[in-house]
Amino acid sequence: MAKKRKSRVPKSVKLVVRVFIILFVLIVAFVGFRYYRRYAIQSEQIRQAQLQRQQEQAKLLKQRKAFIRKIGPIAREVDKSYDLLPSITIAQACLESNYGQSDLSQKYNNLFGVKGTNPNTSAVMTTKEYVKDKWVTVKARFQIYDSYEASIRAHARLFQNGTTWNHDQYKHVLASKDYKTQAKALVTDGYATDPDYADKLINLIEQFDLEKYDK
């Protein structure tokens, strides 16, 4: 009985298969490399962006702490004569002058947005005020001071002397013995129109440990 002859795969077919396999492997490797490269680039971009944000935040924090160190001793020295807590004064200055970065504080040493009337000692600037449950942009005349100390002293005298129409305007502020009570009294006595003003001050005091200036 004759043996069956094994069918042989033509060499040309084998060559085509090999080429196909090689091409397939190369394509997979190329796609994998492109994917890895794209992933590596995106990861590096994210890392660089995070690093930049961290650096910017660190720089901002450093600037804010430097501002606090600058006005802290002044507030402590001034406020002891006016029944005010330095922590509140410092927090107000931080909040209202954006840590000394506002145009009003940089150009005119006005840390608290104090208004003025005399054209010779005041300047007109744009500001935002909370009126009828919304923030509006207005132009107003603001007092000019020759130093941060002068601004802080004028701020303290305002609470001590009250307003022209009510000498006891800030009696609850002056009667307060801790920063939380005094922060809330500022709203109660009509100093601030922002309904969140007290909470913002309290958060700043606790964030930067400003209570240490009260001791």
Side-chain angles (χ1 to χ4, degrees), residues 30-46:
F30 177 74
V31 171
F33 173 75
R34 288 288 301 272
Y35 174 80
Y36 171 78
R37 186 170 179 272
R38 184 181 300 172
Y39 174 78
I41 291 173
Q42 290 176 342
S43 297
E44 180 61 19
Q45 289 174 338
I46 293 172

Side-chain angles (χ1 to χ4, degrees), residues 88 92 95-96 112-113 128-131 135 155 158-159 163 165 169-170 173 182-201:
I88 288 290
Q92 285 185 285
L95 182 62
E96 298 184 31
F112 306 98
K128 285 187 176 182
E129 295 185 353
Y130 196 78
V131 180
W135 288 100
H155 179 70
L158 169 67
F159 292 113
T163 59
W165 58 90
Q169 178 76 38
Y170 302 111
V173 174
Q182 196 162 90
K184 294 173 183 177
L186 287 168
V187 178
T188 302
D189 288 349
Y191 175 86
T193 56
D194 180 357
D196 299 321
Y197 190 77
D199 290 335
K200 291 176 181 178
L201 293 182

Side-chain angles (χ1 to χ4, degrees), residues 13-142:
V13 175
K14 288 182 178 180
L15 181 61
V16 171
V17 172
R18 288 175 182 172
V19 171
F20 176 79
I21 292 173
I22 293 171
L23 287 175
F24 178 76
V25 171
L26 289 174
I27 290 172
V28 170
F30 177 74
V31 171
F33 173 75
R34 288 288 301 272
Y35 174 80
Y36 171 78
R37 186 170 179 272
R38 184 181 300 172
Y39 174 78
I41 291 173
Q42 290 176 342
S43 297
E44 180 61 19
Q45 289 174 338
I46 293 172
R47 192 186 72 82
Q48 289 293 339
Q50 290 175 337
L51 180 61
Q52 184 176 356
R53 282 196 297 270
Q54 290 173 353
Q55 290 174 339
E56 289 173 352
Q57 290 172 353
K59 181 180 179 181
L60 185 62
L61 183 60
K62 185 178 179 180
Q63 289 176 341
R64 291 178 173 181
K65 287 183 175 180
F67 175 72
I68 291 170
R69 285 196 299 271
K70 183 175 183 178
I71 67 169
I74 301 173
R76 175 184 276 165
E77 179 63 26
V78 171
D79 287 347
K80 66 182 181 182
S81 302
Y82 292 92
D83 294 325
L84 294 172
L85 296 173
S87 60
I88 288 290
T89 299
I90 298 166
Q92 285 185 285
C94 291
L95 182 62
E96 298 184 31
S97 73
N98 189 25
Y99 300 88
Q101 297 302 303
S102 68
D103 287 343
L104 188 59
S105 61
Q106 290 190 337
K107 292 179 179 178
Y108 305 116
N109 294 308
N110 190 329
L111 296 174
F112 306 98
V114 175
K115 302 288 179 61
T117 55
N118 186 342
N120 296 320
T121 58
S122 62
V124 176
M125 298 190 72
T126 301
T127 185
K128 285 187 176 182
E129 295 185 353
Y130 196 78
V131 180
K132 295 181 179 179
D133 298 328
K134 64 179 181 179
W135 288 100
V136 295
T137 300
V138 298
K139 283 190 175 181
R141 186 173 291 280
F142 292 91

